[in-house]
Amino acid sequence: MATFNDFNNPQVAALPSHLKQFIVDQQYEHYTPIDQAVWRYVMRQNYSYLKDVAYYPYIPGLQKAGLSIEYIPHLQEMNDALSKIGWGAVTVDGFIPPSAFMEYQAYRVLVIAADIRQLKHIEYTPAPDIIHESAGHAPIIADKKYHEYLSYFGSIGAKAMFSAQDFELYEAIRALSILKEMPDVDITEIRQAEELVAHCQENIGEPSEMALLSRLHWWTVEYGLIGTLEDPKIYGAGLLSSIGESASCMNPEVKKIWYTLDAVNYPYDITQPQPQLFVTSEFQNLINVLEAYADTMSFRIGGTHGIKKAIESGNTCTAVYSSGIQVSGRFSNVLSYGDNNPFFIKTTGPTALALNNKQLAEHGKDYYRQGFSSPIGKLKNYSKPIEDFDQADLIKAGIEIGARTVLKFESGLTVSGIINKIESADSKILLIQFSDCMVTGPSSETLFAPKSGLFNMAAGAKITSVYCGAADKDAFEEIVYKSNRVTYHPHYDDKTIRLHQIYQQVRDIRQCRKDFNLLVGLFDKISTQHKDDWLCALEILEILEHENSEHEAAMKIRKFLKQKTVEKPELKKLISDGFYLIEHPIQQNLVNQGLRS
């Protein structure tokens, strides 16, 4: 990645290296005049409709997020605005892994897809795009309770257990979203991609913590309603950025359900309109439901439950001892007694030890290349755990540097060997290193033998937390998971470039408010050389009617567009909505906010 641009935004500047790898340059100059027209059409339609059904005042929300109805936002302008409320924004290439997405939220940074939907997907696209991410998510960020929920969700989601099946589903969804935004793609290829997504959804097995959290995220952040069941308002970005579904979702056929923890039992399909939506009475309820779900997660339960979840995930996970020491690696075994009491854990492959999310010196994955193992629990006949031993306790237990010691744990596990060193921090004993060490289990089974080398025993009575990912990600994970499949970026032929030029000329005339007679010739080019286009003709009609100019040409254009609704019924709503906006224009002072050539 090139030189990192933090946009002079503290939230963006604070991002760790493993998240920076997903950031791409916005490349504003790559947006075409058609892209700008798509943004303007969607935003004007959104204002026309959402001013009555959106939870927050739409225009003030846009302004606080550094957005304009008239042009695609510049990332710098968004960051200038968002920094005032403690947030930032970066652009990425399409869908990024859910765990990374959540972690960005925890850092209070909005992830915005740099691309914008094609004209043929102007109503809705399953692919993340700048309309959805900025116009959908950003305007409501100014609501304090909501952005607290969003960042809190991110901090919890960043610790959720995820599975290999989750990644397979993510890759399938990313592939489908990329295909759907490609022009002239083979319908068979689309169908196969949809079938793969369905297969992954049907064969995901028991949903992981991340899968269930994603459902809560979907039914709130993306498709949430607030208010009453009879008269809800929209706050979910997926609805706010879809000029089709933002209207259809209010139909009685779409069932409205009170938002509770039961929402985790409702899977979703990103390719279809939602059959039901969830309504919260207030944003505090979102936090309450999230808190209730978090209480079921491994990072709060810890113990055997958490270690087993880590083993099932097959991913790098972290177990936290009650002393504070953090063990990060791929967990392969746990020995337990009772309901949730592990007394021995083992990792396989590169492992690292950390404290307060910082890797301990000389305890990185290069040192523990083959894995790590250690007991958990108290010593037999000692009420105080080892991590809290003072010097007198250590001497009493025979824990002295240079001494040969036998430590018997309550679980029946025994550690015997010569103590080389004792490591402490924050008044807690963290590690005791043994040479010539033997570790045996309650049934005298060998868990560690002297031939394996030095044995570093972590001190801790309990495993208080287990979560996905390494404690010190930048030290442990130089490159976290990132898809190799990139989004489609079109190459334009000469005819399309000429169409872009027409769109730009129309845009210039609208902003300069002169040379209206030139619009007649531009429409002639549209109607003869670009017959499939409708949006540019609509923009020309808008200018002529608002400026009360070229009446005969305006009538001709309206007739042309009406004929299009007959020839292509799928355009009927789009063109009819365009007519409505011409007849019911947005107040000029709102249109003029932040006009840009």
Side-chain angles (χ1 to χ4, degrees), residues 162-203:
F162 52 84
S163 65
Q165 289 84 354
D166 289 332
F167 273 128
E168 289 172 6
L169 178 58
Y170 157 72
E171 281 284 14
I173 289 174
R174 179 178 169 87
L176 175 61
S177 70
I178 291 171
L179 280 175
K180 286 204 167 186
E181 278 299 306
M182 293 175 67
D184 306 320
V185 66
D186 188 337
I187 191 66
T188 303
E189 196 173 356
I190 292 281
R191 190 176 297 113
Q192 289 173 344
E194 289 176 337
E195 289 172 355
L196 180 58
V197 169
H199 174 79
C200 289
Q201 289 174 327
E202 292 165 4
N203 294 277

Side-chain angles (χ1 to χ4, degrees), residues 382-395:
Y382 285 82
S383 59
K384 188 187 293 186
I386 295 174
E387 67 254 41
D388 292 331
F389 275 15
D390 56 24
Q391 191 60 37
D393 295 321
L394 291 171
I395 293 171

Side-chain angles (χ1 to χ4, degrees), residues 25-126:
D25 184 54
Q26 187 184 19
Q27 294 186 312
Y28 197 90
E29 67 280 3
H30 287 188
Y31 297 125
T32 69
I34 293 180
D35 293 336
Q36 295 285 359
V38 167
W39 171 274
R40 182 174 182 270
Y41 177 92
V42 173
M43 296 300 289
R44 290 166 72 242
Q45 291 291 348
N46 279 353
Y47 174 72
S48 177
Y49 179 67
L50 295 177
K51 63 183 173 59
D52 298 319
V53 298
Y55 166 71
Y56 56 88
Y58 197 66
I59 293 299
L62 292 177
Q63 291 172 326
K64 288 179 180 178
L67 303 175
S68 165
I69 284 178
E70 288 296 310
Y71 62 89
I72 297 170
H74 286 256
L75 206 54
Q76 184 63 64
E77 292 178 0
M78 287 194 68
N79 274 291
D80 290 344
L82 290 171
S83 65
K84 297 175 183 176
I85 52 176
W87 279 73
V90 296
T91 43
V92 299
D93 184 47
F95 280 115
I96 64 173
S99 56
F101 182 87
M102 295 290 184
E103 201 169 355
Y104 272 105
Q105 280 189 196
Y107 278 91
R108 297 197 171 202
V109 174
L110 283 178
V111 174
I112 297 174
D115 296 331
I116 188 168
R117 67 194 63 178
Q118 295 179 59
L119 178 54
K120 68 178 181 179
H121 293 150
I122 194 168
E123 286 190 283
Y124 171 76
T125 174

Side-chain angles (χ1 to χ4, degrees), residues 403-554:
R404 179 171 287 278
T405 306
V406 177
L407 303 180
K408 294 183 179 295
F409 286 77
E410 289 179 337
S411 61
L413 180 145
T414 301
V415 177
S416 62
I418 300 171
I419 296 177
N420 290 352
K421 60 181 177 179
I422 301 170
E423 296 187 39
S424 304
D426 301 330
S427 301
K428 293 279 186 180
I429 293 175
L430 300 179
L431 287 165
I432 301 175
Q433 187 185 81
F434 294 82
S435 58
D436 192 26
C437 184
M438 174 72 77
V439 181
T440 56
S443 302
S444 299
E445 69 273 29
T446 300
L447 301 176
F448 188 93
K451 65 180 181 180
S452 297
L454 297 175
F455 180 72
N456 288 305
M457 186 187 85
K462 297 178 179 179
I463 297 296
T464 59
S465 179
V466 185
Y467 54 86
C468 246
D472 187 341
K473 287 185 172 63
D474 286 340
F476 189 93
E477 300 171 316
E478 295 176 359
I479 300 178
V480 295
Y481 179 87
K482 184 178 180 182
S483 177
N484 292 322
R485 185 157 189 166
V486 297
T487 55
Y488 172 78
H489 295 104
H491 297 281
Y492 302 109
D493 57 23
D494 291 342
K495 182 178 179 182
T496 305
I497 291 173
R498 288 194 295 272
L499 180 59
H500 290 168
Q501 292 168 347
I502 295 172
Y503 267 88
Q504 185 61 51
Q505 287 176 276
V506 172
R507 186 177 183 84
D508 292 343
I509 291 169
R510 182 177 62 248
Q511 294 182 2
C512 296
R513 299 190 66 183
K514 62 181 182 180
D515 299 328
F516 302 125
N517 60 303
L518 298 179
L519 294 171
V520 178
L522 293 175
F523 171 69
D524 287 341
K525 291 182 179 180
I526 291 288
S527 61
T528 57
Q529 301 172 23
H530 307 280
K531 294 181 179 180
D532 290 335
D533 189 85
W534 58 273
L535 182 54
C536 193
L538 194 64
E539 289 206 326
I540 292 172
L541 178 64
E542 174 198 345
I543 297 169
L544 293 179
E545 295 206 355
H546 286 180
E547 299 296 338
N548 197 26
S549 178
E550 306 291 341
H551 300 289
E552 186 175 336

Side-chain angles (χ1 to χ4, degrees), residues 2-298:
T3 303
F4 178 63
N5 181 5
D6 64 15
F7 303 98
N8 200 30
N9 182 294
Q11 306 305 130
V12 176
L15 288 172
S17 298
H18 68 276
L19 291 182
K20 291 177 183 176
Q21 67 160 324
F22 295 102
I23 299 172
V24 299
D25 184 54
Q26 187 184 19
Q27 294 186 312
Y28 197 90
E29 67 280 3
H30 287 188
Y31 297 125
T32 69
I34 293 180
D35 293 336
Q36 295 285 359
V38 167
W39 171 274
R40 182 174 182 270
Y41 177 92
V42 173
M43 296 300 289
R44 290 166 72 242
Q45 291 291 348
N46 279 353
Y47 174 72
S48 177
Y49 179 67
L50 295 177
K51 63 183 173 59
D52 298 319
V53 298
Y55 166 71
Y56 56 88
Y58 197 66
I59 293 299
L62 292 177
Q63 291 172 326
K64 288 179 180 178
L67 303 175
S68 165
I69 284 178
E70 288 296 310
Y71 62 89
I72 297 170
H74 286 256
L75 206 54
Q76 184 63 64
E77 292 178 0
M78 287 194 68
N79 274 291
D80 290 344
L82 290 171
S83 65
K84 297 175 183 176
I85 52 176
W87 279 73
V90 296
T91 43
V92 299
D93 184 47
F95 280 115
I96 64 173
S99 56
F101 182 87
M102 295 290 184
E103 201 169 355
Y104 272 105
Q105 280 189 196
Y107 278 91
R108 297 197 171 202
V109 174
L110 283 178
V111 174
I112 297 174
D115 296 331
I116 188 168
R117 67 194 63 178
Q118 295 179 59
L119 178 54
K120 68 178 181 179
H121 293 150
I122 194 168
E123 286 190 283
Y124 171 76
T125 174
D129 80 326
I130 196 165
I131 293 178
H132 168 81
E133 306 291 355
S134 57
H137 286 292
I140 196 173
I141 288 290
D143 187 289
K144 184 175 185 294
K145 185 62 70 173
Y146 180 77
H147 77 228
E148 286 176 353
Y149 167 70
L150 203 61
S151 60
Y152 188 45
F153 200 114
S155 66
I156 289 174
K159 293 188 173 183
M161 291 290 179
F162 52 84
S163 65
Q165 289 84 354
D166 289 332
F167 273 128
E168 289 172 6
L169 178 58
Y170 157 72
E171 281 284 14
I173 289 174
R174 179 178 169 87
L176 175 61
S177 70
I178 291 171
L179 280 175
K180 286 204 167 186
E181 278 299 306
M182 293 175 67
D184 306 320
V185 66
D186 188 337
I187 191 66
T188 303
E189 196 173 356
I190 292 281
R191 190 176 297 113
Q192 289 173 344
E194 289 176 337
E195 289 172 355
L196 180 58
V197 169
H199 174 79
C200 289
Q201 289 174 327
E202 292 165 4
N203 294 277
I204 201 167
E206 182 181 350
S208 67
E209 290 178 352
M210 181 62 80
L212 295 177
L213 261 182
S214 294
R215 293 177 185 179
L216 295 184
H217 196 271
W218 184 264
W219 298 125
T220 59
V221 175
E222 297 294 350
Y223 279 81
L225 301 175
I226 188 169
T228 65
L229 294 180
E230 297 74 26
D231 184 29
K233 301 295 184 184
I234 298 172
Y235 72 88
L239 293 173
L240 292 172
S241 61
S242 170
I243 56 179
E245 202 166 359
S246 61
S248 64
C249 76
M250 292 303 177
N251 293 339
E253 294 78 28
V254 179
K255 189 176 181 182
K256 312 301 188 298
I257 306 171
W258 282 117
Y259 180 67
T260 67
L261 189 54
D262 188 51
V264 299
N265 297 317
Y266 288 78
Y268 58 88
D269 183 347
I270 70 161
T271 66
Q272 301 294 327
Q274 309 310 308
Q276 76 282 311
L277 296 172
F278 292 86
V279 184
T280 186
S281 57
E282 58 181 358
F283 288 140
Q284 181 60 45
N285 180 53
L286 304 186
I287 297 174
N288 296 343
V289 170
L290 179 59
E291 192 71 18
Y293 180 71
D295 285 341
T296 72
M297 293 173 64
S298 298

